[in-house]
Amino acid sequence: MDMSSYQDNRKKYITLKTRELLQELPDYMFDFFRGIEHTTSVNTRMAYAYDIRVFLEYCHKEIPRFQNRTSLCDMTLEDLDEMAPREIEGYLEYLSYYEKEGNEEMQAYQNGQNGKARKLASLKTLYHYFYRQERLKNNPSALVDMPKIYEKPIVKLDVDEIAKLLDTVESGEALTQKQKVYHQFTKKRDLALIALLLGTGIRVSECAGLNLEDVDFNHNGLRITRKGGNETIVYFSKEVEGLLRDYINERKEMPCKELDTPLFLSLQHKRLSVRSIQLLVKKYSALVTTIKKITPHKLRATFGTQLYQETGDIYLVADVLGHKDVNTTKKHYAQMDDTRKRHAASIIKLRETP
């Protein structure tokens, strides 16, 4: 099977899931999703489908004039045209906390500023599309301000925490007795995986999608598929190379139940999923720090921080991390410049202290 089969299957799954969601939405939504197909990724379109469904559910449940509709499919473009900006603002307030029926019971949902901003952005895109197509006379979403996003400090591991994390993975001493039983079978895999995340800054989805053929020890390069489907090469250090070689020598002797050749296998001999990698990182990092919630994304931030501190080159960091817009990188790492400036100010002495 083609080495990109994992990515292809993932795309196929997301596409089918989006089509399934569209069955719950009015027919004109098909036009919208067809119209944005060439300018968005499959992941973005699925997120839009979820967000638009939440908005229509809000209209159906919370706005009196829509409560007599049989289903979400009964919401017309004329209904969207008649929405007032204050009703969309009410939707944002609704997103703070709402409940809906799950498989067996009511489930609660909460959104912070980031979640509200993303859902409003989806709605703005929807309105903009039909307004531009002249199928709507009004665009009330354009009159609603985006929620203010407050930048959070970068959560990352310090140098000593990185060393302690790798030592913990290698030794397994702090694990429970039950965990130690499995650790003897997964030690080399876990060590190589976490070292790879720390040493390259790749995303967890990129890590999960790796195949054996994607590792090139001649140049210490790694072929990955970025968000959006673009392939690129990232490079790893000699230290990471040694841990990867140890694991791959073991990996090649393992049976595999997949049709392709995933790099990281579970104990069930299947490709290690994104969720499994997240739990793996959580398990080990909890033994290193109790005050930091470390995820694969935080390991990515750790790599980005170290690279920026060593090089001072924000464009290099953006390129290696796969950020399409360097402003995304600046937004996350600019606070380190402030730290440098504060340190510089403390160096200057105006008067000798007695």
Side-chain angles (χ1 to χ4, degrees):
M1 178 173 283
D2 185 83
M3 57 191 167
S4 63
S5 61
Y6 170 78
Q7 300 296 340
D8 292 339
N9 288 334
R10 181 66 184 162
K11 278 187 178 180
K12 186 184 300 182
Y13 167 79
I14 293 172
T15 300
L16 293 175
K17 185 63 180 177
T18 303
R19 289 177 184 171
E20 182 183 317
L21 289 166
L22 283 175
Q23 297 300 319
E24 303 177 38
L25 303 179
D27 290 344
Y28 55 83
M29 290 297 178
F30 285 91
D31 298 337
F32 168 63
F33 281 90
R34 190 184 305 115
I36 65 172
E37 182 175 358
H38 300 297
T39 57
T40 56
S41 69
V42 292
N43 291 285
T44 297
R45 292 194 293 278
M46 183 171 70
Y48 281 175
Y50 275 114
D51 293 346
I52 291 169
R53 185 179 68 175
V54 171
F55 174 69
L56 294 183
E57 287 173 342
Y58 159 77
C59 293
H60 189 257
K61 178 182 176 183
E62 301 293 331
I63 299 180
R65 67 179 182 276
F66 299 136
Q67 290 175 352
N68 62 344
R69 303 298 169 85
T70 305
S71 70
L72 302 185
C73 292
D74 294 332
M75 290 286 295
T76 65
L77 275 172
E78 288 73 22
D79 292 332
L80 294 183
D81 216 9
E82 294 171 3
M83 292 289 293
R86 60 181 174 77
E87 290 175 317
I88 296 177
E89 291 170 348
Y91 167 60
L92 294 181
E93 192 282 326
Y94 165 82
L95 290 173
S96 297
Y97 179 87
Y98 64 96
E99 296 180 340
K100 60 182 291 187
E101 290 185 12
N103 294 331
E104 298 180 355
E105 57 185 16
M106 295 294 288
Q107 294 182 342
Y109 296 85
Q110 291 178 282
N111 286 271
Q113 295 295 88
N114 286 308
K116 292 179 181 180
R118 195 200 78 178
K119 287 180 171 60
L120 180 56
S122 300
L123 196 59
K124 283 177 177 285
T125 303
L126 174 71
Y127 266 100
H128 178 72
Y129 173 80
F130 284 115
Y131 185 75
R132 194 182 65 223
Q133 295 286 321
E134 298 184 346
R135 295 173 66 180
L136 289 178
K137 296 177 182 178
N138 304 297
N139 183 0
S141 71
L143 302 177
V144 179
D145 293 332
M146 293 294 286
K148 184 174 179 60
I149 304 298
Y150 297 95
E151 295 298 331
K152 296 179 180 179
I154 298 175
V155 177
K156 59 182 180 60
L157 293 174
D158 298 328
V159 174
D160 59 331
E161 290 173 327
I162 294 172
K164 187 177 179 181
L165 175 60
L166 293 173
D167 289 344
T168 299
V169 177
E170 190 167 28
S171 68
E173 290 178 0
L175 298 173
T176 65
Q177 289 302 316
K178 184 177 180 180
Q179 289 172 332
K180 286 180 180 179
V181 173
Y182 296 105
H183 180 258
Q184 60 180 316
F185 300 108
T186 65
K187 180 177 72 172
K188 290 185 178 181
R189 181 201 69 185
D190 297 351
L191 191 57
L193 190 153
I194 289 182
L196 193 63
L197 292 174
L198 283 166
T200 63
I202 61 175
R203 297 178 176 89
V204 62
S205 58
E206 295 163 353
C207 182
L210 287 171
N211 287 337
L212 284 170
E213 314 91 86
D214 296 326
V215 183
D216 175 17
F217 287 119
N218 292 324
H219 302 93
N220 277 5
L222 200 66
R223 177 177 54 197
I224 61 171
T225 302
R226 292 290 195 193
K227 289 198 303 185
N230 296 325
E231 282 191 359
T232 190
I233 305 294
V234 298
Y235 297 93
F236 49 85
S237 66
K238 285 287 185 182
E239 185 177 6
V240 174
E241 176 195 354
L243 298 174
L244 263 179
R245 282 187 183 277
D246 282 349
Y247 166 65
I248 288 178
N249 289 336
E250 182 181 85
R251 160 67 183 86
K252 288 179 177 178
E253 301 301 319
M254 297 177 185
C256 179
K257 294 182 180 179
E258 304 284 359
L259 295 176
D260 55 354
T261 56
L263 176 59
F264 294 111
L265 284 181
S266 69
L267 288 173
Q268 289 73 41
H269 309 298
K270 295 181 179 181
R271 183 184 295 274
L272 208 59
S273 67
V274 167
R275 181 58 178 159
S276 295
I277 295 174
Q278 290 170 336
L279 292 174
L280 186 154
V281 171
K282 180 181 179 181
K283 176 180 73 175
Y284 288 113
S285 61
L287 301 174
V288 174
T289 173
T290 57
I291 61 173
K292 298 177 183 178
K293 184 180 178 182
I294 300 299
T295 63
H297 192 72
K298 300 301 187 295
L299 299 187
R300 177 171 159 83
T302 298
F303 168 82
T305 301
Q306 282 194 317
L307 185 60
Y308 185 57
Q309 287 174 335
E310 291 296 322
T311 65
D313 188 340
I314 198 70
Y315 293 95
L316 174 63
V317 176
D319 185 44
V320 174
L321 290 178
H323 290 163
K324 293 182 179 179
D325 186 354
V326 72
N327 289 318
T328 301
T329 319
K330 287 180 178 178
K331 180 176 69 175
H332 288 95
Y333 297 99
Q335 64 176 337
M336 292 193 299
D337 284 331
D338 292 335
T339 302
R340 289 177 175 180
K341 290 174 185 177
R342 286 194 295 269
H343 176 65
S346 68
I347 295 174
I348 305 301
K349 303 295 182 184
L350 300 181
R351 292 190 296 179
E352 290 294 331
T353 55

